[in-house]
Amino acid sequence: MSHKDKIIIQGLKQNNLKNVSLEIPKEKIVVFTGVSGSGKSSIVFDTIAAESQRQMNETYTAFIRGRLPKYKKPRVDFIDNLTASVIIDQTRLGGNARSTVGTISDMYSALRLLFSRIGDPYVGTASYFSFNDPNGMCPECSGIGKILDLDMDQVLNPDKSWNESMVELPAFHSGNWYWKQYTQSGLFDLDKKWGDYSEEEKNLLLYGAYEKGGTQVNKKI
């Protein structure tokens, strides 16, 4: 095996390791085993992975480095022949409804920065490529990727009026409390079928205004 076919580590003193030296073959599946506290994670994550990421980050400009995860230089006398690494650590995945492979792997920040610089048309601000930022998130789904909405065709029967319980929800059936709040407001024709409502009348029922986003109308009771 040639010198370039292995990762060389000498004088490793990371965490509980005491001056450990080893050579790890590349392009092979290598398994580290041992009891808890024997130093497996110190070699794999705190030394090889951390130094690999640190060296890669050093190739970027200072502006980009300032926005990338920070990795401490491991306590080792000599380490050579590292290549780019993909870290799958032992922590439980967290996140929220907006989490993706990109956000969990920390690749998303670098990609947003890349596209903000070389994209056409030029944007210049990485936040415009983020679904977690108001500048970049979809105004309809707020960056979640899905919308929870009511199918009004399933709720309002076009062939019924208020007096015929046109709202297909138990709480709005004739005589119930919510039904009285609408029918006694003086704003609706109780015998007019939903299918015959004008656009203004529909907006009044759905949004409390004669146009969506308009001034709220006061009830007469």
Side-chain angles (χ1 to χ4, degrees), residues 1-17:
M1 182 178 295
S2 69
H3 178 75
K4 296 295 184 181
D5 292 333
K6 53 192 174 184
I7 298 172
I8 301 174
I9 300 174
Q10 295 177 358
L12 179 59
K13 307 176 184 68
Q14 189 71 19
N15 299 328
N16 59 337
L17 297 175

Side-chain angles (χ1 to χ4, degrees), residues 80-220:
D80 196 18
N81 295 335
L82 289 177
T83 52
S85 62
V86 177
I87 304 172
I88 304 175
D89 61 26
Q90 297 165 306
T91 59
R92 187 182 298 273
L93 288 179
N96 54 42
R98 294 187 177 92
S99 297
T100 66
V101 173
T103 57
I104 291 173
S105 64
D106 291 329
M107 294 174 59
Y108 189 51
S109 298
L111 286 174
R112 286 193 292 111
L113 191 62
L114 175 66
F115 281 109
S116 70
R117 294 296 183 267
I118 68 172
D120 185 16
Y122 177 76
V123 176
T125 304
S127 63
Y128 280 84
F129 289 92
S130 173
F131 44 77
N132 290 321
D133 189 292
N135 291 321
M137 67 174 53
C138 168
E140 295 296 323
C141 70
S142 298
I144 299 296
K146 60 182 179 181
I147 299 173
L148 180 63
D149 200 3
L150 286 174
D151 183 354
M152 301 312 299
D153 292 336
Q154 300 293 321
V155 177
L156 293 161
N157 191 323
D159 299 321
K160 290 184 179 181
S161 65
W162 273 113
N163 282 332
E164 298 170 315
S165 299
M166 70 179 188
V167 182
E168 301 285 3
L169 296 172
F172 287 84
H173 286 176
S174 180
N176 288 342
W177 187 83
Y178 284 109
W179 178 86
K180 291 179 182 179
Q181 295 299 302
Y182 283 88
T183 59
Q184 296 176 11
S185 67
L187 298 175
F188 304 102
D189 182 344
L190 305 187
D191 293 314
K192 190 171 186 178
K193 300 183 184 301
W194 172 250
D196 296 329
Y197 272 39
S198 66
E199 189 66 26
E200 287 186 342
E201 290 173 323
K202 290 181 178 180
N203 288 336
L204 184 60
L205 176 61
L206 298 175
Y207 311 116
Y210 290 111
E211 60 181 20
K212 186 176 180 180
T215 303
Q216 296 286 304
V217 176
N218 293 324
K219 296 188 297 184
K220 297 181 181 180

